[in-house]
Coordinates of all heavy atoms in Angstrom, one line a residue:
S8 N 24.9 -4.6 -8.5 CA 25.4 -5.2 -7.3 C 24.4 -6.1 -6.8 O 23.5 -5.8 -6.1 CB 25.8 -4.1 -6.3 OG 24.7 -3.3 -6.1
V22 N 19.7 -2.3 -21.9 CA 19.0 -3.5 -21.6 C 17.9 -3.2 -20.7 O 16.7 -3.8 -20.8 CB 20.0 -4.5 -20.8 CG1 19.2 -5.7 -20.3 CG2 21.0 -5.0 -21.9
S40 N -6.8 -6.6 -24.9 CA -7.7 -7.8 -24.6 C -9.0 -7.2 -24.0 O -10.1 -7.6 -24.4 CB -7.1 -8.8 -23.7 OG -5.9 -9.3 -24.2
V104 N -22.0 2.6 -4.1 CA -20.7 2.4 -4.6 C -19.8 2.3 -3.5 O -19.9 3.0 -2.5 CB -20.3 3.5 -5.6 CG1 -21.3 3.6 -6.7 CG2 -20.2 4.8 -4.8
L126 N -6.0 18.4 -18.8 CA -7.3 18.3 -19.6 C -8.5 18.8 -18.6 O -8.7 18.1 -17.6 CB -7.6 17.0 -20.1 CG -6.5 16.5 -21.3 CD1 -6.8 15.1 -21.5 CD2 -6.8 17.3 -22.5
Y153 N -18.9 2.6 4.5 CA -18.4 1.5 3.5 C -18.8 1.9 2.1 O -18.1 1.8 1.2 CB -18.9 0.2 3.9 CG -18.5 -0.9 2.8 CD1 -17.3 -1.3 2.8 CD2 -19.5 -1.4 2.0 CE1 -16.9 -2.3 1.7 CE2 -19.1 -2.3 1.0 CZ -17.9 -2.7 0.9 OH -17.6 -3.7 -0.1
G274 N 5.6 2.6 16.6 CA 4.8 1.5 17.1 C 4.8 0.3 16.3 O 4.9 -0.8 16.8
T443 N 18.1 4.1 -3.1 CA 19.4 3.8 -2.9 C 20.3 3.7 -4.2 O 21.5 3.7 -4.0 CB 19.4 2.4 -2.3 OG1 18.9 1.4 -3.1 CG2 18.6 2.5 -1.0
L504 N -12.5 -13.8 -6.2 CA -12.3 -12.4 -6.5 C -12.0 -12.1 -7.9 O -11.6 -13.0 -8.7 CB -10.9 -12.0 -5.7 CG -11.0 -12.0 -4.2 CD1 -9.6 -11.7 -3.6 CD2 -12.0 -11.0 -3.6
T548 N -1.6 28.0 0.4 CA -1.2 29.5 0.5 C -1.4 29.9 2.0 O -1.9 29.1 2.7 CB -2.2 30.3 -0.3 OG1 -3.6 30.1 0.4 CG2 -2.3 29.9 -1.8

Side-chain angles (χ1 to χ4, degrees):
S8 58
V22 171
S40 297
V104 301
L126 289 171
Y153 172 77
T443 68
L504 298 175
T548 66

